[in-house]
Amino acid sequence: MQAAFFSHRLAFLTIRFFGKVIFLRKKTSILQQALLLTAVNLSLRGVGMLFQIWLSDRIGAAGLGLLQLILSVSGFAFTLGLAGVRVAAMYVCAEEFGLKEYGGIRQAVLVSLRYALCTSCIVGAALFFGAEFAARRFVGDLHAADSLRMQALFLPAGCAGSVLAGYFTACGKIKKLAAVHVCERILSLLLTALLLVFYSGKDPGKCCMAVVLGNVISDFWGTAFLFVLFLRSQRPAPALGTANQMLRRVCKLSVPLALSEYLRAGLSTLEQFLIPWGLARSGSTYSASMSAYGTIGAMVFPVLMFPSALFYALSDLLVPELARCSVQNRTLRIRHLTESCLRMGFLFSGAIAGLMFVLAKPLGMLLYKSADAGAYLRIFSPMVFCLYMDAMTDGMLKGLGQQVASVRYNTITAFLDVVLLFVLLPRLGIAAYLLSFTATHLLNFGLSLHKLVFVTEYSPEIHHVFRVFFCTAVSCAACFCFPEGTYWQMILLRTAVFLFVFLILSNCSGAMSRRDAEQLRRSLPRAHGN
């Protein structure tokens, strides 16, 4: 309980700090919306992680591996159906909102919805009639066919909901969006739990169907609520241009995005199937390969990426904020945002990476009763620096109109990942996956950061990077100076020691400047009051 309190407290203070930086001179209500979005994301991730633990006990690591493959196919279909229009709709709505063209916002959303429904219906029909082929050829288990058909039926609703979520984010209507997401997630978990208990039993195929049904039904109702809220929020203002002009504007952004995302999503999906295939070729049995794949994908990464809700919330908020700054030519504001977010983002990434490293073993045993999960979590923990900062960097690039460049980098690294996995997995086994994951994600972040620095003309502070690394390494070393106890004792003691040493070193080394510390100090009383 105390460890959870420390993590949520740290996340709350972090988003409050970023809110002060991002929404400087803005109304307090926008800051409250940013806080709400992050709190909701953290809470939903926490509930989802607990549900994942229960699900792993029920269907095992091999069942989780099968579910991951089904979700990979449906995720690829979702990318095809969305066709890049979510980011395009968010960007156009943010521009219209910055210019106070409310009729243009309504027109952009309606045009984007028609675009998404057309493309998603075509993709959904293809998936529905090709479900058995996909299950046999790609998943390797015909039990997955019914789950894929169900995903296909509800695909248009999911794509429409994504477009509407982009509108609410672009226009700062975070409170309504967060409320719908909470209700949607609760409904999904309740439906899935009921279906798992009363319908699926221990059958892997039915268990996957239960999870899919819970997700798609909740997505449908979530989309319906968002559409009603969208209609009620509209002002009776005429649009300056015609619908055809808006369609051309949306297509100018979405078509190149879609082409790049199709290639990247195809490569990413292929990557998901190459992992169990390559592990089996390396000498492991199919069951052992699916178990290893399920351990990493469904046990380790939910824990590793749990605190990233903070960064993904900021990423979504930075897109419309930077888009408005771009259309208003506020270059100094853009440079200030870049500097502050990169500095503090890297500092907090260091804190999270260090905590994941020192708590890996007790978390793996307490959450999953798996020593392998703890070992993999420790191996992947240094990648927190790259993964979290890449999420924020991508958000900034999209807000600055560099969506195509961002997707291009993702495509390049996904292609490299597929090549490395195909060549190395049969020879090196799971070590090849670790090597490929590290190399490609570092390359992706490096390319994105280079582009961001070039666009904003910001000079990175290299000494700040070394200071954060130093603070993280010394804080981790301090935790291992104490003897091990029970798993709960290890979590509580190491969390307290790490945070204590890390905060002292951050202040003494200059990793956290006086201005950063002052802004955090001012946040404390208000955070306590809330």
Side-chain angles (χ1 to χ4, degrees), residues 223-285:
T223 299
F225 282 129
L226 285 177
F227 188 68
V228 171
L229 291 174
F230 161 71
L231 293 178
R232 293 180 61 182
S233 68
Q234 293 307 294
R235 302 183 184 183
L240 294 180
T242 65
N244 287 335
Q245 289 175 330
M246 181 59 72
L247 178 61
R248 285 193 292 270
R249 189 175 166 189
V250 170
C251 288
K252 185 178 179 180
L253 288 169
S254 59
V255 170
L257 272 174
L259 294 176
S260 300
E261 286 184 352
Y262 287 170
L263 178 59
R264 182 182 63 85
L267 292 171
S268 298
T269 305
L270 178 61
E271 171 193 335
Q272 298 301 313
F273 298 123
L274 278 175
I275 295 169
W277 171 84
L279 291 175
R281 290 285 299 271
S282 68
S284 300
T285 63

Side-chain angles (χ1 to χ4, degrees), residues 99-160:
L99 297 173
K100 301 188 184 303
E101 296 290 345
Y102 300 109
I105 295 174
R106 183 176 186 273
Q107 189 179 66
V109 174
L110 294 178
V111 166
S112 299
L113 283 174
R114 288 196 292 269
Y115 178 102
L117 288 174
C118 288
T119 53
S120 60
C121 284
I122 295 172
V123 175
L127 179 60
F128 184 86
F129 293 107
E132 285 193 9
F133 173 80
R136 180 176 60 254
R137 187 67 179 269
F138 301 117
V139 180
D141 193 332
L142 285 176
H143 290 102
D146 290 337
S147 297
L148 294 176
R149 289 193 188 94
M150 190 59 60
Q151 291 275 18
L153 289 174
F154 286 88
L155 183 63
C159 292

Side-chain angles (χ1 to χ4, degrees), residues 164-244:
L164 290 169
Y167 154 75
F168 281 97
T169 303
C171 297
K173 301 178 185 294
I174 304 299
K175 189 176 295 186
K176 294 179 180 179
L177 180 62
V180 173
H181 278 173
V182 168
C183 296
E184 181 182 316
R185 188 57 178 163
I186 292 174
L187 177 61
S188 173
L189 293 177
L190 288 176
L191 286 175
T192 302
L194 289 173
L195 289 169
L196 285 170
V197 172
F198 296 106
Y199 162 72
S200 63
K202 295 291 184 179
D203 183 85
K206 289 185 176 180
C207 286
C208 292
M209 172 62 85
V211 175
V212 169
L213 268 175
N215 287 335
V216 297
I217 292 175
S218 63
D219 283 347
F220 176 81
W221 286 110
T223 299
F225 282 129
L226 285 177
F227 188 68
V228 171
L229 291 174
F230 161 71
L231 293 178
R232 293 180 61 182
S233 68
Q234 293 307 294
R235 302 183 184 183
L240 294 180
T242 65
N244 287 335

Side-chain angles (χ1 to χ4, degrees), residues 397 409 412-413 442-452:
L397 288 176
Y409 300 149
I412 292 172
T413 52
L442 285 174
L443 176 62
N444 188 299
F445 175 57
L447 291 172
S448 298
L449 182 62
H450 179 267
K451 185 67 173 182
L452 180 66

Side-chain angles (χ1 to χ4, degrees), residues 354-477:
L355 282 173
M356 289 291 178
F357 186 84
V358 299
L359 300 179
K361 179 180 178 180
L363 284 176
M365 295 304 298
L366 283 174
L367 295 178
Y368 303 109
K369 300 180 178 62
S370 170
D372 289 341
Y376 287 134
L377 181 59
R378 179 163 290 172
I379 291 172
F380 280 105
S381 60
M383 289 300 296
V384 163
F385 285 102
C386 173
L387 295 173
Y388 287 19
M389 292 302 297
D390 190 46
M392 186 181 295
T393 305
D394 277 351
M396 291 181 178
L397 288 176
K398 290 173 182 176
L400 294 169
Q402 302 295 322
Q403 299 94 334
V404 176
S406 179
V407 176
R408 182 169 64 247
Y409 300 149
N410 291 334
T411 303
I412 292 172
T413 52
F415 178 76
L416 178 61
D417 204 16
V418 167
V419 172
L420 290 175
L421 289 174
F422 183 81
V423 173
L424 298 179
L425 264 177
R427 295 171 174 81
L428 303 179
I430 198 65
Y433 176 66
L434 302 177
L435 175 63
S436 173
F437 183 90
T438 302
T440 55
H441 282 79
L442 285 174
L443 176 62
N444 188 299
F445 175 57
L447 291 172
S448 298
L449 182 62
H450 179 267
K451 185 67 173 182
L452 180 66
V453 169
F454 175 78
V455 171
T456 61
E457 299 181 356
Y458 164 69
S459 300
E461 303 175 26
I462 303 300
H463 60 276
H464 177 71
V465 174
F466 288 106
R467 287 172 181 169
V468 174
F469 280 146
F470 170 77
C471 295
T472 303
V474 175
S475 301
C476 289

